[in-house]
Amino acid sequence: MSRTILITGAGSGFGEGTAIGLAKQGHTVIAAAQSWPQVTALRNKADSLGLSGLRVEKLDLLEPHDTARAVDWEFDVLFNNAGIGEGGPISEIPLDLVRRNFEVNVFAPLDLTQRVVKRWVRSKTRGKIVFTSSVLGLLSPPMVGTYSATKHAVQAIAEAMQEELRPFGIKVQTINPGPFLTGFNETMVEAAYRWVDDAATFTPRTMVKEVTDGLLAKPEGRLDPNDMIAKMIELIPAEEGPFRNIFPAATQEWFRQYERAMLERMI
């Protein structure tokens, strides 16, 4: 069944690839990018690919006028994909960075979702909400605790929302990617070095690098994003499917091992 899908954070990475893939499958896609340069680039790409069903709009979730416009667009699937990541030790990270990470990843998408849901309930639209969470919404390794905390919040919101909206015929789903090489994870790690300073912080920069290299530097931490995009294209328009989707299988196993270890962890 053809759907009309709004994708936030479609200016790059998973969002862009998924928008193009869904449009190629015949869905009507509103690809919302944060900045005008991203909008222009994606419009040019859509034109070059002949994707008449791919409409590109500007949507900065922290810009009230952008959000007000977006709520009036017609769509029956909302894919909350926009997000940022702040890395570094959560025991030292400046709180303004923590607040901004929560603002972009949690509060802004929740605000948009509440407005969309209210409209859908009034119009009796049996829509679908999909959140890009993360495997880090289910576990919390060191040096990525801030980002992980935002995704734990997203996961909790989605779980509660699923039951709350079921009586109204609105479905809710999360997608929990593993460590794919989109540049997002590397940018998140690199961002920590603008404030982790051996002269000012008690966590050495070498420790940050050692831990994050352990997460991302190996092949299993640099997965092909096209595999995740293909999975998103499959999941997002579907009427049925699992609520939580950890992908790939190796990441599911990492999560299971982590959970078992946490049950046995001692202080």
Side-chain angles (χ1 to χ4, degrees):
M1 184 179 70
S2 179
R3 310 294 295 264
T4 301
I5 304 165
L6 171 60
I7 302 176
T8 68
S12 63
F14 290 146
E16 178 184 321
T18 302
I20 291 170
L22 287 167
K24 285 181 176 179
Q25 286 196 344
H27 298 285
T28 299
V29 178
I30 306 172
Q34 180 188 19
S35 69
W36 283 114
Q38 289 177 322
V39 169
T40 300
L42 188 50
R43 283 177 178 171
N44 290 339
K45 187 173 289 189
D47 287 344
S48 70
L49 294 170
L51 295 176
S52 59
L54 179 56
R55 167 182 156 197
V56 185
E57 298 283 355
K58 180 181 178 297
L59 175 55
D60 181 341
L61 291 177
L62 300 185
E63 168 52 60
H65 299 291
D66 283 5
T67 305
R69 278 182 67 238
V71 173
D72 288 335
W73 298 334
E74 293 293 338
F75 53 90
D76 61 349
V77 179
L78 171 59
F79 179 30
N80 284 305
N81 173 70
I84 62 172
E86 291 290 347
I90 198 166
S91 52
E92 294 197 79
I93 187 171
L95 285 181
D96 63 313
L97 300 179
V98 178
R99 290 189 182 98
R100 178 171 172 76
N101 211 160
F102 269 86
E103 193 64 48
V104 175
N105 291 12
V106 182
F107 301 129
L110 178 57
D111 174 48
L112 176 63
T113 301
Q114 286 180 339
R115 296 193 206 186
V116 168
V117 164
K118 185 174 291 186
R119 183 180 175 195
W120 282 354
V121 170
R122 287 172 177 166
S123 64
K124 294 183 169 53
T125 299
R126 300 175 73 85
K128 182 179 180 183
I129 307 289
V130 183
F131 292 91
T132 296
S133 179
S134 171
V135 67
L136 295 183
L138 305 167
L139 49 85
S140 190
M143 304 302 170
V144 289
T146 296
Y147 174 73
S148 183
T150 68
K151 292 304 184 180
H152 274 72
V154 166
Q155 198 69 35
I157 287 166
E159 288 179 19
M161 191 177 284
Q162 185 195 28
E163 293 303 314
E164 294 169 357
L165 296 182
R166 191 188 301 275
F168 302 99
I170 298 172
K171 298 181 179 180
V172 180
Q173 187 174 43
T174 70
I175 299 177
N176 303 73
F180 287 88
L181 186 60
T182 63
F184 182 92
N185 294 330
E186 290 71 25
T187 300
M188 173 169 59
V189 169
E190 189 67 27
Y193 295 123
R194 72 194 195 276
W195 60 268
V196 175
D197 180 351
D198 288 347
T201 56
F202 58 78
T203 306
R205 289 169 67 96
T206 53
M207 181 185 293
V208 175
K209 187 176 189 314
E210 180 181 355
V211 173
T212 54
D213 280 356
L215 292 172
L216 301 176
K218 297 176 288 188
E220 55 266 36
R222 303 168 70 84
L223 303 174
D224 183 351
N226 290 315
D227 294 340
M228 188 71 247
I229 289 168
K231 189 68 174 176
M232 287 176 162
I233 292 167
E234 171 193 326
L235 291 169
I236 291 164
E239 286 285 352
E240 304 295 335
F243 165 68
R244 187 172 68 184
N245 295 272
I246 306 172
F247 187 80
T251 300
Q252 291 188 44
E253 182 56 30
W254 177 34
F255 165 63
R256 293 189 188 100
Q257 292 176 5
Y258 187 95
E259 267 203 322
R260 287 194 293 268
M262 285 302 298
L263 288 171
E264 298 171 0
R265 182 182 289 187
M266 303 290 288
I267 61 169

PDB file of all heavy atoms in Angstrom, residues 4 20 25 51 57 59 87 94 97 120 128 136 171 178 181 195 214 221 224 230 249-250:
ATOM      1  N   THR A   4       2.036   8.120   2.472  1.00  0.00           N
ATOM      2  CA  THR A   4       2.630   9.453   2.401  1.00  0.00           C
ATOM      3  C   THR A   4       3.424   9.648   3.679  1.00  0.00           C
ATOM      4  O   THR A   4       2.854   9.618   4.778  1.00  0.00           O
ATOM      5  CB  THR A   4       1.557  10.545   2.245  1.00  0.00           C
ATOM      6  OG1 THR A   4       0.811  10.291   1.046  1.00  0.00           O
ATOM      7  CG2 THR A   4       2.203  11.923   2.141  1.00  0.00           C
ATOM      8  N   ILE A  20      14.931   8.555  -0.458  1.00  0.00           N
ATOM      9  CA  ILE A  20      15.108   8.188  -1.870  1.00  0.00           C
ATOM     10  C   ILE A  20      14.581   6.781  -2.128  1.00  0.00           C
ATOM     11  O   ILE A  20      13.862   6.526  -3.103  1.00  0.00           O
ATOM     12  CB  ILE A  20      16.587   8.312  -2.268  1.00  0.00           C
ATOM     13  CG1 ILE A  20      17.002   9.794  -2.283  1.00  0.00           C
ATOM     14  CG2 ILE A  20      16.850   7.664  -3.622  1.00  0.00           C
ATOM     15  CD1 ILE A  20      18.495  10.023  -2.436  1.00  0.00           C
ATOM     16  N   GLN A  25      10.145   3.278  -4.426  1.00  0.00           N
ATOM     17  CA  GLN A  25       9.143   2.218  -4.299  1.00  0.00           C
ATOM     18  C   GLN A  25       7.731   2.711  -4.572  1.00  0.00           C
ATOM     19  O   GLN A  25       6.776   1.932  -4.509  1.00  0.00           O
ATOM     20  CB  GLN A  25       9.203   1.605  -2.899  1.00  0.00           C
ATOM     21  CG  GLN A  25      10.400   0.713  -2.662  1.00  0.00           C
ATOM     22  CD  GLN A  25      10.242  -0.169  -1.448  1.00  0.00           C
ATOM     23  OE1 GLN A  25       9.389   0.060  -0.591  1.00  0.00           O
ATOM     24  NE2 GLN A  25      11.062  -1.201  -1.354  1.00  0.00           N
ATOM     25  N   LEU A  51      12.574  11.471  -9.458  1.00  0.00           N
ATOM     26  CA  LEU A  51      11.674  11.054  -8.379  1.00  0.00           C
ATOM     27  C   LEU A  51      10.623  12.133  -8.133  1.00  0.00           C
ATOM     28  O   LEU A  51      10.753  12.972  -7.239  1.00  0.00           O
ATOM     29  CB  LEU A  51      12.484  10.776  -7.109  1.00  0.00           C
ATOM     30  CG  LEU A  51      13.465   9.609  -7.190  1.00  0.00           C
ATOM     31  CD1 LEU A  51      14.280   9.505  -5.909  1.00  0.00           C
ATOM     32  CD2 LEU A  51      12.734   8.299  -7.460  1.00  0.00           C
ATOM     33  N   GLU A  57      11.482  19.613   1.731  1.00  0.00           N
ATOM     34  CA  GLU A  57      11.111  20.815   2.472  1.00  0.00           C
ATOM     35  C   GLU A  57      12.135  21.100   3.554  1.00  0.00           C
ATOM     36  O   GLU A  57      12.837  20.197   4.023  1.00  0.00           O
ATOM     37  CB  GLU A  57       9.736  20.644   3.122  1.00  0.00           C
ATOM     38  CG  GLU A  57       8.584  20.429   2.168  1.00  0.00           C
ATOM     39  CD  GLU A  57       8.137  21.718   1.493  1.00  0.00           C
ATOM     40  OE1 GLU A  57       8.665  22.798   1.838  1.00  0.00           O
ATOM     41  OE2 GLU A  57       7.244  21.645   0.619  1.00  0.00           O
ATOM     42  N   LEU A  59      12.908  21.841   7.346  1.00  0.00           N
ATOM     43  CA  LEU A  59      12.319  21.656   8.668  1.00  0.00           C
ATOM     44  C   LEU A  59      13.417  21.552   9.704  1.00  0.00           C
ATOM     45  O   LEU A  59      14.059  20.514   9.844  1.00  0.00           O
ATOM     46  CB  LEU A  59      11.441  20.393   8.706  1.00  0.00           C
ATOM     47  CG  LEU A  59      10.860  20.024  10.085  1.00  0.00           C
ATOM     48  CD1 LEU A  59      10.073  21.171  10.688  1.00  0.00           C
ATOM     49  CD2 LEU A  59      10.013  18.759   9.984  1.00  0.00           C
ATOM     50  N   GLY A  87      29.258  13.239  22.404  1.00  0.00           N
ATOM     51  CA  GLY A  87      30.057  12.201  23.025  1.00  0.00           C
ATOM     52  C   GLY A  87      30.884  12.739  24.173  1.00  0.00           C
ATOM     53  O   GLY A  87      30.844  13.931  24.502  1.00  0.00           O
ATOM     54  N   PRO A  94      29.736  19.358  29.651  1.00  0.00           N
ATOM     55  CA  PRO A  94      29.016  20.583  30.001  1.00  0.00           C
ATOM     56  C   PRO A  94      27.504  20.402  29.831  1.00  0.00           C
ATOM     57  O   PRO A  94      27.039  19.841  28.834  1.00  0.00           O
ATOM     58  CB  PRO A  94      29.568  21.615  29.008  1.00  0.00           C
ATOM     59  CG  PRO A  94      30.933  21.094  28.655  1.00  0.00           C
ATOM     60  CD  PRO A  94      30.798  19.608  28.658  1.00  0.00           C
ATOM     61  N   LEU A  97      25.480  21.258  26.663  1.00  0.00           N
ATOM     62  CA  LEU A  97      25.518  20.288  25.562  1.00  0.00           C
ATOM     63  C   LEU A  97      24.518  19.158  25.794  1.00  0.00           C
ATOM     64  O   LEU A  97      23.889  18.669  24.854  1.00  0.00           O
ATOM     65  CB  LEU A  97      26.923  19.727  25.395  1.00  0.00           C
ATOM     66  CG  LEU A  97      28.022  20.745  25.069  1.00  0.00           C
ATOM     67  CD1 LEU A  97      29.376  20.048  24.945  1.00  0.00           C
ATOM     68  CD2 LEU A  97      27.697  21.516  23.789  1.00  0.00           C
ATOM     69  N   TRP A 120      -4.306  13.874  13.818  1.00  0.00           N
ATOM     70  CA  TRP A 120      -4.752  12.578  13.329  1.00  0.00           C
ATOM     71  C   TRP A 120      -5.962  12.068  14.099  1.00  0.00           C
ATOM     72  O   TRP A 120      -6.893  11.517  13.513  1.00  0.00           O
ATOM     73  CB  TRP A 120      -3.619  11.561  13.437  1.00  0.00           C
ATOM     74  CG  TRP A 120      -2.586  11.678  12.354  1.00  0.00           C
ATOM     75  CD1 TRP A 120      -2.611  12.495  11.255  1.00  0.00           C
ATOM     76  CD2 TRP A 120      -1.364  10.932  12.271  1.00  0.00           C
ATOM     77  NE1 TRP A 120      -1.479  12.313  10.498  1.00  0.00           N
ATOM     78  CE2 TRP A 120      -0.696  11.362  11.094  1.00  0.00           C
ATOM     79  CE3 TRP A 120      -0.761   9.971  13.062  1.00  0.00           C
ATOM     80  CZ2 TRP A 120       0.537  10.843  10.699  1.00  0.00           C
ATOM     81  CZ3 TRP A 120       0.471   9.437  12.682  1.00  0.00           C
ATOM     82  CH2 TRP A 120       1.099   9.876  11.506  1.00  0.00           C
ATOM     83  N   LYS A 128       0.858   6.254  11.467  1.00  0.00           N
ATOM     84  CA  LYS A 128       1.946   5.488  12.068  1.00  0.00           C
ATOM     85  C   LYS A 128       3.082   6.435  12.423  1.00  0.00           C
ATOM     86  O   LYS A 128       3.456   7.302  11.628  1.00  0.00           O
ATOM     87  CB  LYS A 128       2.446   4.422  11.090  1.00  0.00           C
ATOM     88  CG  LYS A 128       3.566   3.539  11.643  1.00  0.00           C
ATOM     89  CD  LYS A 128       3.989   2.483  10.632  1.00  0.00           C
ATOM     90  CE  LYS A 128       5.103   1.597  11.172  1.00  0.00           C
ATOM     91  NZ  LYS A 128       5.577   0.613  10.177  1.00  0.00           N
ATOM     92  N   LEU A 136      21.789   2.036  21.350  1.00  0.00           N
ATOM     93  CA  LEU A 136      22.193   2.779  22.548  1.00  0.00           C
ATOM     94  C   LEU A 136      20.993   3.330  23.317  1.00  0.00           C
ATOM     95  O   LEU A 136      21.164   3.920  24.377  1.00  0.00           O
ATOM     96  CB  LEU A 136      23.141   3.921  22.170  1.00  0.00           C
ATOM     97  CG  LEU A 136      24.494   3.485  21.599  1.00  0.00           C
ATOM     98  CD1 LEU A 136      25.375   4.695  21.337  1.00  0.00           C
ATOM     99  CD2 LEU A 136      25.201   2.503  22.526  1.00  0.00           C
ATOM    100  N   LYS A 171      -0.328   3.545  15.049  1.00  0.00           N
ATOM    101  CA  LYS A 171       0.715   2.592  15.391  1.00  0.00           C
ATOM    102  C   LYS A 171       2.036   3.305  15.685  1.00  0.00           C
ATOM    103  O   LYS A 171       2.310   4.366  15.122  1.00  0.00           O
ATOM    104  CB  LYS A 171       0.893   1.587  14.256  1.00  0.00           C
ATOM    105  CG  LYS A 171      -0.371   0.774  14.007  1.00  0.00           C
ATOM    106  CD  LYS A 171      -0.218  -0.238  12.904  1.00  0.00           C
ATOM    107  CE  LYS A 171      -1.505  -1.031  12.740  1.00  0.00           C
ATOM    108  NZ  LYS A 171      -1.407  -2.043  11.674  1.00  0.00           N
ATOM    109  N   GLY A 178      22.403  -0.473  14.821  1.00  0.00           N
ATOM    110  CA  GLY A 178      23.716  -0.686  15.405  1.00  0.00           C
ATOM    111  C   GLY A 178      24.692   0.357  14.889  1.00  0.00           C
ATOM    112  O   GLY A 178      24.286   1.402  14.362  1.00  0.00           O
ATOM    113  N   LEU A 181      28.276   3.042   9.516  1.00  0.00           N
ATOM    114  CA  LEU A 181      29.247   4.067   9.129  1.00  0.00           C
ATOM    115  C   LEU A 181      28.582   5.138   8.257  1.00  0.00           C
ATOM    116  O   LEU A 181      28.765   5.199   7.045  1.00  0.00           O
ATOM    117  CB  LEU A 181      30.427   3.436   8.391  1.00  0.00           C
ATOM    118  CG  LEU A 181      31.605   4.364   8.051  1.00  0.00           C
ATOM    119  CD1 LEU A 181      32.208   4.966   9.313  1.00  0.00           C
ATOM    120  CD2 LEU A 181      32.666   3.591   7.264  1.00  0.00           C
ATOM    121  N   TRP A 195      35.832  19.960  24.103  1.00  0.00           N
ATOM    122  CA  TRP A 195      35.802  20.349  25.519  1.00  0.00           C
ATOM    123  C   TRP A 195      36.615  19.417  26.425  1.00  0.00           C
ATOM    124  O   TRP A 195      36.979  19.802  27.542  1.00  0.00           O
ATOM    125  CB  TRP A 195      34.362  20.446  26.032  1.00  0.00           C
ATOM    126  CG  TRP A 195      33.571  19.172  25.934  1.00  0.00           C
ATOM    127  CD1 TRP A 195      32.769  18.780  24.907  1.00  0.00           C
ATOM    128  CD2 TRP A 195      33.510  18.112  26.903  1.00  0.00           C
ATOM    129  NE1 TRP A 195      32.224  17.539  25.153  1.00  0.00           N
ATOM    130  CE2 TRP A 195      32.652  17.122  26.383  1.00  0.00           C
ATOM    131  CE3 TRP A 195      34.093  17.909  28.166  1.00  0.00           C
ATOM    132  CZ2 TRP A 195      32.369  15.944  27.071  1.00  0.00           C
ATOM    133  CZ3 TRP A 195      33.801  16.729  28.856  1.00  0.00           C
ATOM    134  CH2 TRP A 195      32.952  15.769  28.304  1.00  0.00           C
ATOM    135  N   GLY A 214      37.354   1.354  20.752  1.00  0.00           N
ATOM    136  CA  GLY A 214      36.866   0.010  21.030  1.00  0.00           C
ATOM    137  C   GLY A 214      35.451  -0.217  20.524  1.00  0.00           C
ATOM    138  O   GLY A 214      35.074  -1.340  20.178  1.00  0.00           O
ATOM    139  N   GLY A 221      32.115  -2.149  14.053  1.00  0.00           N
ATOM    140  CA  GLY A 221      31.635  -0.829  14.443  1.00  0.00           C
ATOM    141  C   GLY A 221      31.511   0.126  13.268  1.00  0.00           C
ATOM    142  O   GLY A 221      31.235   1.317  13.460  1.00  0.00           O
ATOM    143  N   ASP A 224      27.902  -1.211   6.930  1.00  0.00           N
ATOM    144  CA  ASP A 224      27.464  -0.571   5.696  1.00  0.00           C
ATOM    145  C   ASP A 224      26.071   0.040   5.902  1.00  0.00           C
ATOM    146  O   ASP A 224      25.100  -0.699   6.126  1.00  0.00           O
ATOM    147  CB  ASP A 224      27.417  -1.602   4.561  1.00  0.00           C
ATOM    148  CG  ASP A 224      27.038  -0.989   3.217  1.00  0.00           C
ATOM    149  OD1 ASP A 224      26.642   0.196   3.167  1.00  0.00           O
ATOM    150  OD2 ASP A 224      27.136  -1.719   2.218  1.00  0.00           O
ATOM    151  N   ALA A 230      18.045  -0.209   3.717  1.00  0.00           N
ATOM    152  CA  ALA A 230      17.148  -1.212   3.126  1.00  0.00           C
ATOM    153  C   ALA A 230      16.154  -1.722   4.161  1.00  0.00           C
ATOM    154  O   ALA A 230      14.963  -1.938   3.854  1.00  0.00           O
ATOM    155  CB  ALA A 230      17.959  -2.363   2.549  1.00  0.00           C
ATOM    156  N   ALA A 249      21.688  -8.538  13.082  1.00  0.00           N
ATOM    157  CA  ALA A 249      21.615  -9.624  14.058  1.00  0.00           C
ATOM    158  C   ALA A 249      22.786  -9.578  15.038  1.00  0.00           C
ATOM    159  O   ALA A 249      22.626  -9.876  16.226  1.00  0.00           O
ATOM    160  CB  ALA A 249      21.577 -10.973  13.337  1.00  0.00           C
ATOM    161  N   ALA A 250      23.965  -9.193  14.561  1.00  0.00           N
ATOM    162  CA  ALA A 250      25.131  -9.125  15.450  1.00  0.00           C
ATOM    163  C   ALA A 250      24.922  -8.084  16.537  1.00  0.00           C
ATOM    164  O   ALA A 250      25.385  -8.257  17.671  1.00  0.00           O
ATOM    165  CB  ALA A 250      26.388  -8.796  14.643  1.00  0.00           C
TER     166      ALA A 250
END
